[in-house]
Amino acid sequence: MSGTDLIQSELGAGILTLRINRPEKKNALNLAMYQALADGLRQADGDAAVRVILISGCQGCFTSGNDLTDFVAAPPDGSDSPVLQFISAISQARKPIVAAVGGVAVGIGVTMLLHCDLVYAGNKATFQMPFVNLGLCPEAGSTLLLPRIMGYQRAAELILLGEVFSADKACSVGIVTEVCPDEELESTARNRALQLAAQPASAVRLAKNLLKREYARPLQETIAEEGREFMTRLESPEAAEALQAFMQRRKPDFSRFS
Ligand code: COA
């Protein structure tokens, strides 16, 4: 399947829906999918017919994050790599973004939410940012946004231990706007997107811009710095052990690295 089949795009009632659709790999994002998401977000910004962007997953899965096999086979190699283009597009989008999170949200599946404006989660959704567990470092500006949203200690717990956490916890720490029953997730997110699409569009864009203005520049600097560190970490022995362990379906052993 091409990137465009794996990211289904549909425009209706002023809402551009970008649906992540690779259920057999738990919606892991490969290069073509990042590119399709980046292109979709950029085109939406220039298309007057789009008033709101809605990002969702499928079959009870939001996304298991970056395709781990790509970390080995096709690692990001510069600021024009698809993953960095996606992060740049979502972090600088002018139009409002709504996310509907059902099932697993891992890695960039969580950090992308920090750039969305309204985030709805099904009550059985789970969240995890296992960057450190994989010998990597956090990305997408999350090292700036997480402590800002929830305070240092709570951000440190989620990042340094990298444990799975619930939708209720995601809501209580400020990553999620509202938790709803799983079966109502799609309708809740869509209704909120419709409500947003009916708002005066240029006032919405201005308010979004002003809400983010104070940290807009440091955010882009942080994204660039995290990106450089991330690429270096991908070549570290710790990351090699973690990625090998994932492929071999075993627990990683970091005891020989200091
Ligand atoms: N990259 C590549 N493949 C992935 C993937 C990822 N991020 N997440 C899941 N998959 C694949 C699995 O390898 C498996 O493929 P296979 O059927 O060919 O063996 C398939 O998707 C189903 O995954 P599985 O692990 O069997 O499902 P699960 O329900 O038991 O667990 C997850 C789901 C998401 C919790 C688990 O797959 C996982 O932890 N994935 C890695 C997440 C991750 O570390 N992402 C990167 C963060 S930076």
Side-chain angles (χ1 to χ4, degrees):
M1 275 202 279
S2 73
T4 23
D5 297 320
L6 299 173
I7 301 294
Q8 295 174 336
S9 159
E10 188 190 313
L11 175 62
I15 301 169
L16 175 73
T17 304
L18 297 172
R19 186 178 296 283
I20 308 169
N21 180 41
R22 196 189 179 199
E24 71 285 1
K25 291 290 178 189
K26 298 284 165 182
N27 283 348
L29 296 168
N30 64 22
L31 301 188
M33 293 163 78
Y34 280 124
Q35 193 64 58
L37 285 169
D39 293 346
L41 288 165
R42 287 205 188 113
Q43 282 157 18
D45 249 13
D47 182 350
V50 179
R51 296 171 76 87
V52 177
I53 298 140
L54 172 62
I55 302 180
S56 75
C58 68
Q59 297 186 25
C61 185
F62 186 61
T63 169
S64 61
N66 203 103
D67 188 313
L68 288 175
T69 59
D70 275 357
F71 277 154
V72 181
D77 56 1
S79 59
D80 60 349
S81 68
V83 59
L84 285 164
Q85 284 192 50
F86 167 64
I87 292 169
S88 165
I90 197 165
S91 65
Q92 295 182 76
R94 291 162 54 242
K95 295 188 178 170
I97 306 176
V98 178
V101 185
V104 286
V106 187
I108 200 160
V110 181
T111 56
M112 74 164 84
L113 304 175
L114 308 175
H115 302 285
C116 297
D117 305 287
L118 302 176
V119 179
Y120 298 95
N123 59 330
K124 295 198 197 79
T126 60
F127 298 75
Q128 186 184 17
M129 290 179 281
F131 303 107
V132 168
N133 313 37
L134 290 167
L136 302 171
C137 70
E139 36 68 311
S142 56
T143 56
L144 181 128
L145 294 174
L146 288 168
R148 203 185 148 91
I149 290 169
M150 63 188 67
Y152 177 79
Q153 268 70 20
R154 291 197 282 189
E157 184 201 29
L158 298 183
I159 289 295
L160 300 184
L161 295 179
E163 289 176 323
V164 177
F165 54 101
S166 68
D168 283 337
K169 177 153 180 175
C171 195
S172 75
V173 294
I175 294 175
V176 159
T177 309
E178 189 183 320
V179 179
C180 52
D182 264 346
E183 55 281 11
E184 290 169 20
L185 173 63
E186 288 282 323
S187 60
T188 302
R190 181 150 294 275
N191 287 338
R192 289 304 211 177
L194 284 168
Q195 200 181 334
L196 206 44
Q199 291 283 70
S202 67
V204 168
R205 285 198 300 277
L206 175 63
K208 171 170 174 156
N209 180 265
L210 289 170
L211 281 166
K212 296 186 169 209
R213 193 176 72 100
E214 187 202 349
Y215 61 87
R217 184 190 287 235
L219 177 61
Q220 294 309 314
E221 288 165 2
T222 303
I223 288 171
E225 176 64 12
E226 290 168 345
R228 284 189 288 273
E229 295 287 1
F230 199 99
M231 284 185 255
T232 307
R233 293 298 310 173
L234 276 172
E235 288 167 8
S236 68
E238 290 174 339
E241 164 61 10
L243 294 171
Q244 238 176 48
F246 177 78
M247 310 301 168
Q248 296 167 355
R249 292 192 170 266
R250 62 169 171 83
K251 254 175 95 90
D253 174 9
F254 300 115
S255 62
R256 61 186 191 281
F257 311 118
S258 57

